[in-house]
Structures are given as C-alpha cells and as structure tokens.
Amino acid sequence: MNAPDLSPAAFADGDSHYLRAITDMADRRTVVTQEALYTDRGIKLVDKGARVDSRLYDRLVKHKLRGSIDEHLAMDDMVSVQSIVQLAASQCEHDTLAYLLVHTLEGMTAEKLLAPVRALLLPPSLAFKLTVMREQHPVLFEHSVRMMLAAVYLGIKSGWSDRECVPLATAALLHDIGVLHMDPVWHDPANKMTAVGRQQLMAHPITAMLIIRGQNMFPRVVEQAVLEHHECMDGSGYPRGLQGDQISLMGQILMVAEVVAAFFEKYANEAAAQRLSLTLRLNHRKFPAALIACLLPVLQIRAVQTDVQVTPADVERLIEQLSTAFGDWDTRRAGLPPEAAESEACAFVEQRLSALQKTLFEAGSHPQQQAEALQYLQGDEQGLAELALLGREALWQLQGIVDATHSRWLTLEHSPQAGDRAVVQWRDACAVRLAQR
C-alpha cells in the first residue's frame, strides 16, 4: 500500500465539499463573517459582517482562501464545551451504550465520564467545524460524543487519571472532523462506494489530523491518536497499516471506542451487545487484549441481550456464502502458474483469506464446523442465533477483503497479470453474492 500523503497541501481546509456544507447550513442559520475573506493573493471576496449563504459558494470554491475559513465565520448557538457536556450527560441517561458504561464504573455516576469533558479546550475554529457537523450531519456529531464517552471509559478502566483523559476526550471528539471534507454521498446507504470514495474514506483520519495540527494548541499525542483511530493491531487497518505497539496507547483506545460506538449505532435493535462481543472475540488479533477485557463484562449484562430471530435456513445460507467464497478462491488460485500467484494483489487475498479461515477455525465457526454444528442445534434458538451472528461477522470481514482490493489497487481490472485478473474475477463474484444477503 502506498504511503499516505501527510502534507497540508494534500488536504486543504477550504475544499468544495466542506464549503458546500457551510453554505447550505447558512441558508437555514445565520452565519456571518467575523473578518473579511481574502484570497491567498490578497483579493477581498467578502466584507466583514456579511451574511453568508449558498449564493457565495461558487465564488468561494474558485479561490484558495487566506487562512482557514473556520477562523472567519461565526453564528449563534455554536457548539461549546457546555453544549457537549449537556449532550454527553443526556446520552449517559438515555443512550444504551453510555448508560451501560456509567453503571459499570465504580460509584455508577456519570460525573466520572463527564469530568474530562468539562475540561476540554475548544478553540472557535473547531467549535465552528463541530457546529457544521451538528447541523449538517447530526448522526455523526452524536457518534463523536458517544465515542468520546466510550474512550474516556476505557481510559478510566486502564487507570488513567481525569487529567490524562482530557486529551483522550479531545481526540475522540474530533476524530471524525475529516469526514466533513468527504463527498456527502457517503451518507446515502444506497450509494455504491467508488474508488474515489474509498480514497476519501481512507484519507479522513489524515485530514482530521492535519486540521488538529493546524491549531497549534493540542499535544502531539492527540493528532497521532486521531490519525490512528482506524488502525488495527494485526496491521489490517488504515491509513498506514500499523501493527501492535506501533499504534499509540491513545490510538488503541480510539480504535476500540470507534468499533464499540459503531456497533451500538448500527445494530441498535439487532443484538448490538451480542454482535459486538462475538466480533471482539472473533477478531482478537485486531484489538488490544487488555481493552477488550474491560468491555466483555459490560456486553454480558442480561439487560442488553436481545432475542435474535434466526431459522436453520438462515444459517445454511450464511454457510453456503462463506463456503462458496473460500472455494471459489481456492479454485482460481490453484489454476494460476507460480509466478502469477506472486502478484501483490493475489498474495494479499491469499493471506487475508487464510487468516480469516484460521480465525474462524479457532472460534469454532468455520463453515465446515458450522455445518456440523447446525444438525445438533435444531430447536436451540440461542445456539442458532450465535451461529448466525458469527456467520454475519465473517461475511462482514469477507466484504472488507473485497473492499480492500478496490482501495489498494485502483486500476486492478486493467492489469494484464493473470494473478490480478483472478483477484478481479473473484472479488466481482463475491460482490454479487454479498449483495444478495
């Protein structure tokens, strides 16, 4: 995988997607310039005190601005430390994940989680950026606060003091500000991710890190952790593919907190706790063992266990999809000459599928094992549910391998190499089957 470009020029703050979000927000809310807006060549674009709206977009997007646009704009009711504390406190009372975290802390009081949040530093430019997130992408804003609480919880459980948890809370709150600079089509669940979209997705931690670095007020560990929040202990994450201790302790906490928050959001009414517990155990090489040990007792609380409706036919379909994907690759791989199998993409798929199968065998959930277990689980609803959840997690990992071949090799379908053609044919066949889930 090519090394990511970490230069500020690679991710300019005034990009078109973020400008569009600002001007669209300004059609609904009063946004004014605190100072005049100038181009980098000194040409005035907008006077001080002017009202901003979507009619300005075409003018702004044509020029590189002097300084960050966030430093020049303001509006009423901007995000503040107080408003973040209020939302976090509300989540501690009404959000399933945050409620669980509070009630598994010593003393069972929300103040343990909120104390580091009250001490946050929030400069006006970042307050404005978070306001754009709150107004234009409220689900993402709520996710950022939820993940912040999960990160602080893991920090406390790891023995960190309130003071040490303040930069941790900062990193967690700001981890996804880079998403504001992505094409907003990523919000549409019906949208099919393109190669460019995958590049933007893999770049958003870099964008966020550069924005934080530009503030010149946060410890280096904050920007480092934000850059690392999608890495994995086994090296399968992004943007740099770091492994183990190459990932900072704060980055490891953010990595786990991101997964925890995402599961409780995506599967709010679909056995989130059980799914997450199985995922963490099934992917034990991806996550820090000490942090997972902090979480597993929380996920076993009966109050958050959900009945999962599964039939033997559902499990059979999952087994068939996995078996077909593994068998299809084995067939294509066996038909290649030795030199073709050494292509980078071919070796990547071989390694990732072998690792996935090994993990499934260790967890007792390889398709061969599931097929044997299924005959003994007729009428056992809980056993069937666990088999189904394990199968769905394996398919999710399979989808990750397919997606990675798109993002790592953007023009693979045009390669003349036999190994690359085998990867393209395999991933396309997988994509069709996975779309039928």
Side-chain angles (χ1 to χ4, degrees):
M1 183 166 56
N2 295 330
D5 184 356
L6 301 183
S7 66
F11 301 98
D13 190 44
D15 70 79
S16 60
H17 299 309
Y18 183 55
L19 283 174
R20 176 64 75 187
I22 291 174
T23 55
D24 284 354
M25 177 184 73
D27 282 342
R28 298 181 290 104
R29 302 290 306 275
T30 300
V31 178
V32 297
T33 55
Q34 298 187 100
E35 302 173 11
L37 295 181
Y38 289 86
T39 71
D40 61 341
R41 297 184 177 183
I43 300 172
K44 184 189 287 187
L45 292 177
V46 185
D47 288 326
K48 178 181 178 180
R51 170 82 185 267
V52 176
D53 58 30
S54 58
R55 290 174 295 181
L56 275 177
Y57 173 78
D58 289 335
R59 190 191 311 176
L60 294 174
V61 79
K62 291 177 182 177
H63 303 279
K64 183 176 180 182
L65 301 180
R66 179 188 294 171
S68 166
I69 193 170
D70 301 307
E71 299 171 354
H72 301 288
L73 301 180
M75 59 181 282
D76 293 334
D77 189 29
M78 281 180 37
V79 168
S80 63
V81 173
Q82 182 181 3
S83 67
I84 293 169
V85 171
Q86 290 174 345
L87 176 56
S90 176
Q91 287 190 358
C92 287
E93 290 186 15
H94 306 294
D95 180 81
T96 301
L97 173 60
Y99 182 88
L100 280 173
L101 298 179
V102 168
H103 287 80
T104 50
L105 284 173
E106 184 179 353
M108 295 190 295
T109 170
E111 188 55 34
K112 292 281 289 183
L113 293 181
L114 297 179
V117 182
R118 297 185 193 279
L120 288 173
L121 294 177
L122 192 61
S125 59
L126 287 183
F128 185 83
K129 196 173 285 288
L130 287 172
T131 303
V132 176
M133 182 187 290
R134 182 191 67 188
E135 297 296 316
Q136 296 301 108
H137 308 294
V139 172
L140 184 65
F141 183 65
E142 291 181 6
H143 162 76
S144 297
V145 174
R146 184 176 293 108
M147 180 186 155
M148 177 183 66
L149 293 174
V152 171
Y153 174 88
L154 290 170
I156 292 171
K157 285 291 188 178
S158 299
W160 292 24
S161 66
D162 286 353
R163 183 176 180 179
E164 291 172 313
C165 284
V166 174
L168 175 61
T170 302
L173 177 66
L174 301 177
H175 78 284
D176 264 347
I177 53 175
V179 173
L180 296 174
H181 296 256
M182 290 173 57
D183 190 326
V185 298
W186 70 270
H187 287 286
D188 183 1
N191 176 64
K192 184 177 180 180
M193 184 72 78
T194 64
V196 173
R198 291 188 186 90
Q199 282 186 306
Q200 290 184 356
L201 181 66
M202 295 186 74
H204 82 268
I206 306 172
T207 308
M209 180 274 290
L210 291 171
I211 292 168
I212 293 167
R213 177 178 292 177
Q215 299 298 313
N216 293 315
M217 66 177 297
F218 297 110
R220 190 64 178 265
V221 291
V222 170
E223 61 185 65
Q224 182 179 357
V226 168
L227 179 63
E228 295 170 344
H229 76 270
H230 279 300
E231 300 288 357
C232 292
M233 300 299 282
D234 64 354
S236 63
Y238 64 89
R240 294 185 292 170
L242 302 180
Q243 296 184 41
D245 292 340
Q246 292 178 324
I247 307 169
S248 67
L249 292 177
M250 191 180 293
Q252 293 179 27
I253 290 178
L254 258 60
M255 169 211 312
V256 175
E258 169 79 0
V259 172
V260 172
F263 260 77
F264 272 83
E265 292 158 1
K266 182 175 181 179
Y267 302 111
N269 300 309
E270 301 177 46
Q274 295 100 308
R275 286 176 182 268
L276 179 56
S277 178
L278 289 169
T279 296
L280 295 176
R281 286 182 280 145
L282 191 60
N283 296 276
H284 59 91
R285 292 185 181 86
K286 291 180 178 288
F287 306 113
L291 296 179
I292 301 312
C294 295
L295 285 169
L296 290 179
V298 178
L299 304 176
Q300 303 307 315
I301 296 175
R302 186 61 197 170
V304 294
Q305 302 299 304
T306 305
D307 292 332
V308 181
Q309 302 301 317
V310 177
T311 67
D314 295 329
V315 178
E316 288 173 355
R317 281 192 293 271
L318 291 170
I319 294 171
E320 181 182 5
Q321 283 189 305
L322 285 169
S323 297
T324 302
F326 293 148
D328 184 18
W329 174 251
D330 288 342
T331 299
R332 296 182 191 279
R333 172 68 174 76
L336 293 173
E339 63 276 10
E342 294 177 0
S343 82
E344 187 178 4
C346 189
F348 170 82
V349 172
E350 176 71 16
Q351 186 273 328
R352 290 290 294 272
L353 285 180
S354 295
L356 175 56
Q357 292 200 65
K358 181 179 179 182
T359 299
L360 293 175
F361 266 119
E362 291 175 350
S365 59
H366 190 276
Q368 296 174 9
Q369 296 165 310
Q370 286 192 325
E372 295 173 2
L374 184 59
Q375 59 184 314
Y376 299 107
L377 293 175
Q378 303 298 324
D380 182 348
E381 294 182 1
Q382 184 174 350
L384 285 174
E386 180 149 335
L387 270 188
L389 292 174
L390 285 165
R392 291 168 187 170
E393 167 60 20
L395 286 179
W396 181 81
Q397 292 191 47
L398 183 65
Q399 181 71 65
I401 297 172
V402 171
D403 291 343
T405 64
H406 283 284
S407 58
R408 291 178 180 236
W409 298 281
L410 301 179
T411 59
L412 196 64
E413 62 270 22
H414 304 302
S415 172
Q417 295 186 44
D420 291 344
R421 290 200 303 272
V423 170
V424 171
Q425 293 165 358
W426 173 80
R427 80 179 183 193
D428 289 349
C430 274
V432 172
R433 288 190 294 268
L434 290 169
Q436 297 171 348
R437 277 186 287 171

